Amino acid sequence: MIDAGKYDTAIDSLETMLEDDPKNADLLNYLAYSQRKSGDFDSAAQNYERALMIDPEHKGALEYQGELFLQTGKPDMARENLARLENVCGMDCAEYKELAAKIPQ
C-alpha cells in the first residue's frame, strides 16, 4: 500500500497492527512515513518520536524524521539526525546517503 502511494489505506492498516504490537518501531516508522506523505506532519512527528524512543538507533526513523525536519523548515535538526545516522551506520549506509543528499549545503 505504501509503495503504491495508498497512504490512507496504509495508515488504517498500520494503526490496526499497532493495536496488537504497540511497541513495534518498524510499524511506527511506516505509520509516520505514511502520515508525512499524506501531509499530516504533526502525527508523523509524534510517531517518529515514538519509534525512536523504542529504538533510538532506528535507521529508517532517523532518516525519515530528518526528511520531515527538512519539510518543516528545520534543517539544523535534520543535520542532527544525519550525525546520529553517521554514528549508527556510518556514511556508507543507504539511510545516511539518502538524507545527506536532501540536506542543503
Side-chain angles (χ1 to χ4, degrees):
M1 291 176 280
I2 292 171
D3 289 340
K6 297 180 179 180
Y7 300 116
D8 291 338
T9 305
I11 290 167
D12 291 341
S13 295
L14 290 161
E15 287 175 340
T16 299
M17 288 185 266
L18 280 163
E19 290 173 12
D20 294 328
D21 193 3
K23 296 200 184 268
N24 186 316
D26 291 329
L27 291 177
L28 287 165
N29 180 49
Y30 289 129
L31 175 61
Y33 177 88
S34 298
Q35 291 166 326
R36 179 171 62 89
K37 290 295 192 175
S38 296
D40 185 357
F41 296 151
D42 291 337
S43 295
Q46 291 172 1
N47 286 311
Y48 286 132
E49 276 301 313
R50 288 174 62 200
L52 290 167
M53 285 173 53
I54 294 164
D55 181 359
E57 296 186 348
H58 193 288
K59 294 181 289 188
L62 286 168
E63 175 196 345
Y64 292 149
Q65 183 187 51
E67 291 179 17
L68 175 65
F69 290 148
L70 291 172
Q71 286 180 281
T72 55
K74 301 172 186 161
D76 290 341
M77 294 176 81
R79 286 184 193 94
E80 289 175 22
N81 277 39
L82 189 65
R84 288 174 65 186
L85 275 168
E86 184 177 355
N87 288 334
V88 170
C89 62
M91 296 173 78
D92 281 335
C93 77
E95 293 83 0
Y96 179 92
K97 289 178 180 179
E98 286 284 325
L99 184 56
K102 294 177 179 163
I103 294 177
Q105 298 303 325

